[in-house]
Amino acid sequence: AATAGWLGILLFFPPAPVASAAEPRGRNTAPTEPPAVAAARERAALAHVIYSTTMEVLHRHYFRKGQAVLPARAMEEVFAEVAEQSKVEGSWIAVNTKAMSVHHEPKTAFEKQAAAAIAAGKEQFEAVEKDVFRSARPIPLGEGCLNCHTGMFRGPSKTPGYAGLIISVPLQ
């Protein structure tokens, strides 16, 4: 389910220069492939960056004895590496549970509106600000997450807990 959220932003990734069998080589001709193929190529390029970076981070953090890290913290490293490679930025916001870091408190107007929209049950919240497309989607918090975000052993919550995943994609 979380993967589907990532895939929703893939359309906005700037195209990587890749030669294919469908493109003539060595000629200065306009591309003749359908726009859907170019969009699919862009999505595949960003998916590659995200999945390969995630695999590297998982191996770095989870295959050392006694040095495991929280998955959300490891994802922050993925966010940084993906942003460096693709200019697509990711970040967490607290929605309806305690923020586990001061960096996760919604600060900007967009983040505050996104947190309110997600808490109200919206599946996504979007805006375009200064040549940047911003998207926020919910991340459901499982039982293990809720133990820390709502206090250890308080019993089951009547309200599902959510964090928000903010994706920022430059439009240029």
Side-chain angles (χ1 to χ4, degrees), residues 7-13 36 38-48:
L7 295 178
I9 61 100
L10 297 180
L11 177 61
F12 299 99
F13 183 69
R41 182 176 295 112
E42 293 167 10
R43 290 183 196 139
L46 184 55
H48 177 83

Side-chain angles (χ1 to χ4, degrees), residues 54-78 92 104 145 148:
T54 301
M55 179 61 73
E56 291 171 21
V57 170
L58 287 174
H59 275 85
R60 198 165 34 245
H61 287 290
Y62 294 102
F63 292 102
R64 290 192 230 161
K65 290 185 178 185
Q67 294 188 13
V69 68
L70 293 170
R73 183 75 66 205
M75 283 302 299
E76 289 177 350
E77 190 173 326
V78 172
W92 300 121
H104 300 164
C145 303
C148 289

Side-chain angles (χ1 to χ4, degrees), residues 94-166:
V95 171
N96 62 352
T97 61
K98 175 183 170 190
M100 300 309 292
S101 167
V102 295
H103 302 291
H104 300 164
E105 287 289 344
K107 293 172 193 67
T108 68
F110 174 81
E111 290 173 347
K112 290 174 184 177
Q113 292 168 349
I118 292 169
K122 301 235 186 256
E123 287 296 316
Q124 67 184 46
F125 182 80
E126 299 175 344
V128 175
E129 303 170 335
K130 298 180 183 175
D131 295 326
V132 176
F133 171 81
R134 297 192 195 291
S135 173
R137 295 175 185 249
I139 299 293
L141 301 178
E143 186 178 325
C145 303
L146 288 171
N147 281 338
C148 289
H149 283 272
T150 62
M152 296 294 267
F153 311 111
R154 285 195 174 170
S157 173
K158 295 178 182 172
T159 305
Y162 292 99
L165 176 58
I166 306 286

